[in-house]
Amino acid sequence: MILSKNIKKKGLNFMKIKEIKEKIKIGIDKIGFAMPKYFLDIRDLALGRNENENKFVKGLMQSEMSISTVTEDIVSLGASAAAQILDEEDKKNIDMVIVGTESGVDQSKASAVFIHHLLNIQPFARCIEIKEACYGATAALSFAKNYIEKNNDASVLVIASDIARYGIDTPGESTQGAGSVAMLIKKDPAIAVINDENVCQTRDIMDFWRPNYSDFPYVDGHFSTKQYLDCLTTTFEEYKKRYSQSLDDFDAFCFHLPFPKLGLKAINSILEKNIEKEIKNDFLEKFHTSIIYGKRVGNIYTGSLYLSLLSLLENCVNLNGGDKIGMYSYGSGAVCEFFNLTLAEGFKNHLRCDRLNDFENRKQLSMEEYENMFFEKIVLDEEGNCDFSNNKFIQESDNSFVLAKIENHKRVYKKLNE
Ligand code: HMG
């Protein structure tokens, strides 16, 4: 029915009809999330920095920040997120592992290679790392989709893994975080189909960047928020024009969330002025379910859009199979993309409904503990060794993998709970 309407409208020829009929659906089949065991209450940060707590709680809409330890990095968190979702069959079918990150552990070797080994994925796979600030994982999804279009029975593991550290007493400090989202991409996915319609935009700007010699990013904070919002409105306008779509075509939106208040500004900027109150409230209600996890984790750079998707799908009671989710990905520098997903029938059966317990089971840090833990530097001896085996963070970790030691400058990871 929909097919014949489209064919009439667009006057498609026979070959095109055949192509549409045969086009396979590709998308997210499984999704997992790993975060560190520790968090800082944002009100403690405000107190410690002589700020009014409402600046962070209301002004940024942030509540907590995930704090990683020296025994965690994007490899251990990424492998832990993936370990939650993969079974032995998946590991035999994964042809490619792509990690989107801007907190890589090596300038040469891809983190995906470590993760491929830790997860015991079949050997004839390709493993790479993709970088463009917070946009990396979205580029990885697109790469994965293109690959599966040509290799229909393959699966691709896409991992978005980052640790966002701005430094002590900086304007960005209240927007830090750490965590990884892992997604298994394949045909006929159980959670959501990644549709073809998308628009990207690139602007050569210096809103946020981290030179190789610096542990922390340089940020033009207010300029970055303006660029994020302007890229959204201009890209969404172009998207609507190119695909003859409007707000009516969407059931919910997810945004890259450097802090949740920017997401609220983002949704308000695309809801038309004359929109019916009921429809506006429905979009806003769904938006608020999409920030539940982000509010408690902070910015996880390239994973933050996908954490917002996970939050929406696991917490919204108002979504059904067939619903369309508008997705806005933004990476400083800057590259953005607006694309969309269609939810699969029964998607809820493939998600967790008890994830909030994981947040409750974390340990709260004092300001002093936070400063010591999050900014602890690895100190190597003359031979390039450092051993964390007896580190209490390893004993306390709930994740599947940790960084156990560095031996002769080589990172060595350990599987826990074996
Ligand atoms: P700031 O300049 O210290 O804060 O840091 P502010 O003065 O702009 O205040 C923040 C908000 O709190 C404002 O709300 C204030 O009014 C409000 P707004 O007017 O914008 O709606 N406020 C209060 N509200 C209630 N009670 C109070 C109170 N006081 C103030 N008492 C800034 C803000 C975002 C600049 C800073 O956090 C920062 O630099 N963050 C890092 C950069 C960032 O997150 N940029 C976002 C866009 S770029 C992006 O998303 C890419 C990124 O993820 C990186 C990548 O791609 O890799 C960052």
Side-chain angles (χ1 to χ4, degrees), residues 66-101:
S66 266
I67 303 300
S68 56
T69 72
V70 75
T71 60
E72 286 167 314
D73 61 19
I74 59 138
V75 170
S76 69
L77 288 168
S80 298
Q84 290 171 14
I85 55 170
L86 301 183
D87 59 29
E88 290 311 311
E89 204 50 36
D90 295 329
K91 292 176 192 180
K92 282 186 208 150
N93 289 331
I94 290 173
D95 258 12
M96 180 149 58
V97 182
I98 317 177
V99 175
T101 188

Side-chain angles (χ1 to χ4, degrees), residues 4 134 152 154 172 204 334:
S4 61
C134 301
N152 294 181
D204 183 4

Side-chain angles (χ1 to χ4, degrees), residues 132-143:
E132 174 18 56
C134 301
Y135 175 71
T138 304
L141 282 186
S142 176
F143 200 88

Side-chain angles (χ1 to χ4, degrees), residues 26 95-99 126-130 135-151 155-158 185 194 198 337:
I26 298 163
D95 258 12
M96 180 149 58
V97 182
I98 317 177
V99 175
R126 176 191 288 157
C127 292
I128 54 168
E129 192 169 296
I130 284 191
Y135 175 71
T138 304
L141 282 186
S142 176
F143 200 88
K145 182 172 182 287
N146 289 342
Y147 180 78
I148 298 166
E149 262 159 16
K150 293 208 173 69
N151 303 276
S155 311
V156 178
L157 176 63
V158 169
I185 310 303
I194 304 168
N198 69 331
E337 180 169 337

Side-chain angles (χ1 to χ4, degrees), residues 54-55 59 102 133-134 166 171 222 224 256 258 261 265 299 332:
N54 282 334
K55 176 173 173 182
E102 56 181 299
C134 301
Y166 285 84
H222 289 277
S224 74
H256 165 53
K261 176 79 165 290
K265 288 185 184 185
N299 193 359
S332 282

Side-chain angles (χ1 to χ4, degrees), residues 175-233:
T175 66
Q176 299 174 129
S180 295
V181 176
M183 293 172 275
L184 185 67
I185 310 303
K186 54 189 281 209
K187 74 172 180 195
D188 299 327
I191 296 177
V193 174
I194 304 168
N195 292 314
D196 285 346
E197 306 106 2
N198 69 331
V199 173
C200 297
Q201 183 175 171
T202 294
R203 294 181 179 184
D204 183 4
I205 53 169
M206 299 304 274
D207 60 333
F208 168 108
W209 67 106
R210 185 164 69 85
N212 285 346
Y213 50 77
S214 178
D215 286 341
F216 303 118
Y218 290 81
V219 199
D220 191 342
H222 289 277
F223 175 61
S224 74
T225 59
K226 283 200 181 74
Q227 289 295 324
Y228 168 107
L229 291 171
D230 193 58
C231 280
L232 167 63
T233 47

